[in-house]
């Protein structure tokens, strides 16, 4: 099973993010809901790169590793 030798840290902006709101306007918001799209995009890009290089097993293991890291203890 493939395990990364060193897990790089990742972060996403979650403070004062410009977002669409009702009435076709914009507002700044904070929190994990604002960071989640960035984290999802990074994860998708990593998986796409691994799949494109025919390393699908690594992509699956990477997703499983990320899921375990996000579990609430």
């Amino acid at each position: 099973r493939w395990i990364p030798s060193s897990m790089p840290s990742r972060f996403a902006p979650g403070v004062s993010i410009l977002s669409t709101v009702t009435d076709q306007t914009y507002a700044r918001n904070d929190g994990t809901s604002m960071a989640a799209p960035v984290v999802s995009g990074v994860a998708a890009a990593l998986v796409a790169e691994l799949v494109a290089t025919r390393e699908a097993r690594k992509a699956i293991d990477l997703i499983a590793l990320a899921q375990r890291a996000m579990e609430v203890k």
Side-chain angles (χ1 to χ4, degrees):
R1 186 176 99 152
W2 179 81
I3 297 175
S5 58
S6 62
M7 193 66 169
S9 59
R10 298 282 183 254
F11 65 92
V15 177
S16 192
I17 305 299
L18 190 62
S19 180
T20 56
V21 292
T22 57
D23 299 327
Q24 299 181 357
T25 59
Y26 297 91
R28 295 200 177 272
N29 291 301
D30 300 332
T32 56
S33 294
M34 303 311 296
V38 175
V39 174
S40 299
V42 169
L46 289 171
V47 170
E49 181 61 28
L50 290 172
V51 170
T53 58
R54 299 176 189 268
E55 298 185 41
R57 181 74 244 167
K58 288 182 184 179
I60 292 167
D61 289 344
L62 183 63
I63 291 168
L65 183 64
Q67 287 174 332
R68 284 193 304 275
M70 291 187 293
E71 289 177 359
V72 176
K73 306 227 177 198

